[in-house]
Amino acid sequence: MRIEHTRVRVQVPATSANLGPGFDALGLALDLVDDLELEATTGGVEVLAEGEGAGSVPTGEEHLVVRALRRGLDHAGAPQVGVRLRTRNRIPHGRGLGSSAAATVAGLLLARGLLADPAALDDDAVLQLATAFEGHPDNAAPALLGGAVLSWTEASRGEERARAVNLALHGEALRPLVLLPRTTLATHQARGLLPEEVPHGDAAFNASRAALLVHALATDPSLLLTATEDRLHQEQRAPGMPESVELLRVLRQEGHPAVISGAGPSLLVLRGDRAEVAQLVRRVVAEPAAWRIAAVPLREDGARCVVD
């Protein structure tokens, strides 16, 4: 496969995974995006990052976007290139909004944009490669496809393959609010707090709520509070983010369909009144000024690639 283009731009959205009961399966894209510009060169690697993560992310081959770009080119059988990459990052890092999945998807789409035949790195290939990077598809799938997404893995010809489908949404189903703390929590640390086994009753409970959530999103948003109940992962992560989990408890007690966003420590309120939520934040957290509250609409489009 030959390289045909030398300049590519990609826009990729933030995501929120799990949505309460849909652990490693449900997620949605949010209208908060990273913008990336790539120039293929004959030199080495140059990364200029602006915004979130600037000054702390790698600027060479270890940059996640560059690693994903390399993997995408290898998958397509295309030659490697020198990289001049500029990123304008708006997705917060380490807060449960899918920044690593966004970077991975972005790198793979940048690789696609360079190719003479983009079909060599189609959406299915991008999903498989991104899942291999991430370990699960619940963030990568909505980043790629947009909207609300159900993802899973299944055995195919002796290997695990990721699959994903967009979910139908009621017109008034979601008015998302993101509650963003100053603190961060690495995904591997949050996962380390989870037990290796769960009671059968809790598994059955979450299965029913995840199924109900699909119905609530598509047909009856009045059920969102019940449909976002969870027994598998949110309370279990309290030692790593005690303030987030306490705020989650209070929000839900007051009738707001709130969930931990991904691995946390951010929260997502699927339908919320900003003034009411802000009042509860001031009541519960020790330093309200350390939390940001933002109305971030659902993003119906996934990642976009533009070739110059």
Side-chain angles (χ1 to χ4, degrees), residues 36-47:
L36 304 95
E37 300 177 5
L38 171 69
E39 180 183 357
T41 72
T42 57
V45 175
E46 178 185 353
V47 179

Side-chain angles (χ1 to χ4, degrees), residues 28 30 172-179 217 221-222 224-225 228 250-252 254-259 267-281 293-298:
L28 55 82
L30 297 168
E172 297 297 319
L174 302 180
R175 297 193 298 272
L177 292 176
V178 174
L179 283 63
L217 290 171
S222 70
L224 281 172
L225 181 62
T228 49
V250 173
L251 285 165
R252 294 190 62 82
E254 296 295 323
H256 297 281
V259 298
L267 274 66
L268 180 73
V269 181
L270 292 176
R271 285 168 64 88
D273 180 275
R274 185 170 181 166
E276 292 179 8
V277 169
Q279 185 178 20
L280 291 173
V281 171
I293 303 173
V296 185
L298 179 78

Side-chain angles (χ1 to χ4, degrees), residues 21-306:
F23 184 67
D24 280 2
L26 293 173
L28 55 82
L30 297 168
D31 199 16
L32 178 69
V33 300
D34 285 350
D35 289 301
L36 304 95
E37 300 177 5
L38 171 69
E39 180 183 357
T41 72
T42 57
V45 175
E46 178 185 353
V47 179
L48 176 61
E50 301 176 3
E52 298 285 344
S56 62
V57 297
T59 57
E61 290 286 352
E62 290 305 306
H63 194 287
L64 183 52
V65 173
V66 178
R67 290 168 52 207
L69 168 74
R70 300 290 189 216
R71 184 67 187 88
L73 292 175
D74 282 345
H75 175 85
Q80 295 294 335
V81 296
V83 172
R84 184 172 294 123
L85 177 67
R86 184 184 186 94
T87 68
R88 298 178 182 88
N89 301 326
R90 300 179 184 88
I91 304 171
H93 290 195
R95 291 183 175 89
L97 292 173
S99 61
S100 64
T104 300
V105 170
L108 293 168
L109 288 190
L110 288 170
R112 176 196 288 176
L114 296 176
L115 300 176
D117 181 9
L121 198 54
D122 61 12
D123 280 356
D124 180 67
V126 169
L127 181 61
Q128 306 313 318
L129 294 171
T131 300
F133 267 87
E134 290 282 290
H136 38 84
D138 55 344
N139 284 112
L144 179 64
L145 302 177
V149 178
L150 172 63
S151 58
W152 69 98
T153 59
E154 61 184 33
S156 176
R157 298 180 180 178
E159 63 179 9
E160 289 289 316
R161 292 188 60 81
R163 299 286 305 277
V165 292
N166 282 105
L167 299 177
L169 289 174
H170 188 281
E172 297 297 319
L174 302 180
R175 297 193 298 272
L177 292 176
V178 174
L179 283 63
L180 190 72
R182 188 178 297 156
T183 56
T184 63
L185 181 66
T187 299
H188 72 273
Q189 293 176 314
R191 282 187 173 264
L193 296 169
L194 301 180
E196 292 186 4
E197 298 181 355
V198 298
H200 184 277
D202 289 347
F205 180 94
N206 265 55
S208 70
R209 294 308 188 271
L212 180 61
L213 181 53
V214 172
H215 171 77
L217 290 171
T219 305
D220 190 353
S222 70
L223 294 171
L224 281 172
L225 181 62
T226 300
T228 49
E229 291 177 323
D230 161 71
R231 290 185 183 175
L232 294 187
H233 66 101
Q234 295 184 140
E235 289 287 340
Q236 290 84 343
R237 286 170 164 161
M241 45 181 160
E243 195 168 61
S244 295
V245 173
E246 178 58 24
L247 181 55
L248 174 70
R249 292 169 185 153
V250 173
L251 285 165
R252 294 190 62 82
Q253 287 168 5
E254 296 295 323
H256 297 281
V259 298
I260 298 293
S261 182
S266 297
L267 274 66
L268 180 73
V269 181
L270 292 176
R271 285 168 64 88
D273 180 275
R274 185 170 181 166
E276 292 179 8
V277 169
Q279 185 178 20
L280 291 173
V281 171
R282 290 192 294 270
R283 191 179 94 191
V284 173
V285 306
E287 295 183 60
W291 285 74
R292 283 190 289 151
I293 303 173
V296 185
L298 179 78
R299 183 181 174 93
E300 296 185 4
D301 296 329
R304 298 172 178 171
C305 179
V306 177

